Amino acid sequence: MAVPIELTVNGKTVAAEVEADTLLSSFLREHLRLTGTHIGCDTSSCGACTVHVGGRAVKSCNVLVAQLHGSEVTTIEGITPRDGSLHPMQAAFKACHGLQCGFCTAGMVMSAIDLLRHHPHTTDEEIRAGLEGNLCRCTGYQNIVKAVAMAAKAMGRQRP
Amino acid sequence: MSAMAYHRPSSLAEAAKLAAGDPDARILAGGQSILPSMKLGLLAPSAFIDLAALGELRGIRADRKSVTVGAMTTHAAVAASPEVMAAIPSLAKLAAGIGDPQVRNRGTIGGSLANSDPAADYPAAVLALNATIRTNRRALPADGFFKGLFETALAPGEIITAVEFPVPNTASYVKFPQPASRFALVGVFVAQTSTGVRVAVTGAGPCAFRVKVLEDALARRYAPQACEGISLPSGDLNTDIHASAEYRAHLIPVLAQRALA
């Protein structure tokens, strides 16, 4: 059954007809060609596919597009400034070497941004708890936690 | 799977009518359990009846006597609610420990209760706090709601609308999480309510259940020491790769004791 949907993705209105069981992750990658969102486990465990829906981190492999009619979705492609520079979270991941293979990074960055928006003054322990839904098989997490702590300072300075 | 239908009713009455007309359809709340179950091949519904457009099922109301949580309220909303934190802090803490942040941003209380996963957290709170589960047809008491593995007292097509938690004198929840999934290996919710001490356990059996021997001991003395020396039979409890039934039985009084510490 084709379901008509309309939602906002990275600030642009998207109207489409999708099958009832189309996952947000496949819609983003295959229909919109936004391949920055990675599908890792496809079982709602690893968090590589994390995007924002209404500003909150969700696993796009565990949401139907049909559920998001009228919602605002932001992917990793939608967080960079128009001038092509990096978001402070991306810059911090680069500066702290918070990645090795990079497969989990887009999801880590999206989760970490949601975390800092709601808890701007986080301890390392809170950062670890806030990233419980994201798995990394390379780094051992140390540099990821450092990156998020650095981004917290940078994002704090950005706020008016 | 592409033969599936999808409905987004704009009223509860319409949702109920759709559910009554198709016994193989599934009510869709946050989808955090149903979508993984479909991927595993455990479920193949004919249609989704998505409650996303029913704004009246979202939100939290609290007064001195009770906290009412709309069925479509997310775990994140319960965890962050100042009303819940003030009235029943143990309930906010429980919600903050479900799954991970992404799951809490989508998963709902109504979905969790209707699913009755044997290791879900909310069933322990509902039983221990003697909550009332309101549906589009009636009000169901917590006792008797959880019938078995993924089985509840809900009739086919019946839709949970809200859960009303009476404010306890005091309450506490401690879970021993399975470290990968963060589901409860065992979770124990202990509450001193207007109808007495209630102790509810999740993760250990086919569904959440109360433990009379602990309730009786804590009614005599509401203190951690009252749980000492109590051992529970492991006969009906779960055994899996994470823990044996005997280990789960052992954890129940231990966690009850920690909940009171």
Side-chain angles (χ1 to χ4, degrees), chain A residues 9-87:
Chain A
V9 179
N10 297 336
K12 289 182 198 149
T13 304
V14 175
E17 285 209 344
V18 297
E19 290 299 329
D21 57 357
T22 304
L23 297 167
L24 176 60
S25 51
S26 39
F27 181 73
L28 291 171
R29 289 178 57 85
E30 289 156 30
H31 189 98
L32 302 181
R33 299 289 170 188
L34 293 171
T35 52
T37 298
H38 293 171
I39 299 171
C41 66
D42 204 20
T43 61
S44 183
S45 304
C46 80
C49 67
T50 300
V51 300
H52 293 174
V53 173
R56 300 308 307 253
V58 306
K59 292 174 180 169
S60 63
C61 82
N62 207 25
V63 187
L64 303 174
V65 203
Q67 289 178 279
L68 302 182
H69 182 68
S71 300
E72 283 193 13
V73 175
T74 306
T75 69
I76 188 76
E77 290 90 345
I79 63 159
T80 45
R82 278 163 197 261
D83 65 6
S85 62
L86 296 176
H87 183 282

Side-chain angles (χ1 to χ4, degrees), chain A residues 1 19-21 42 50 56-59 61-62 64 66-67 69 111 114 130 132-134, chain B residues 1-2 4-6 8 28-32 35-36 39 48 50 100-102 105-106 182:
Chain A
M1 172 180 165
E19 290 299 329
D21 57 357
D42 204 20
T50 300
R56 300 308 307 253
V58 306
K59 292 174 180 169
C61 82
N62 207 25
L64 303 174
Q67 289 178 279
H69 182 68
S111 283
D114 180 21
E132 272 187 343
N134 293 75
Chain B
M1 293 221 308
S2 56
M4 270 192 77
Y6 171 88
R8 177 185 281 256
L28 182 60
Q32 298 303 287
L35 294 175
K39 289 182 185 180
F48 279 129
D50 186 357
D100 56 48
Q102 294 98 313
N105 285 336
R106 290 291 303 169
R182 298 186 184 87

Side-chain angles (χ1 to χ4, degrees), chain B residues 62 67 81-89 92 167:
Chain B
V67 172
S81 161
E83 292 89 351
V84 179
M85 279 190 245
I88 316 179
V167 174

Side-chain angles (χ1 to χ4, degrees), chain A residues 105-124:
Chain A
T105 310
M108 283 284 177
V109 166
M110 297 309 281
S111 283
I113 291 172
D114 180 21
L115 170 69
L116 292 189
R117 262 194 210 138
H118 294 89
H119 305 280
H121 307 290
T122 47
T123 62
D124 282 5

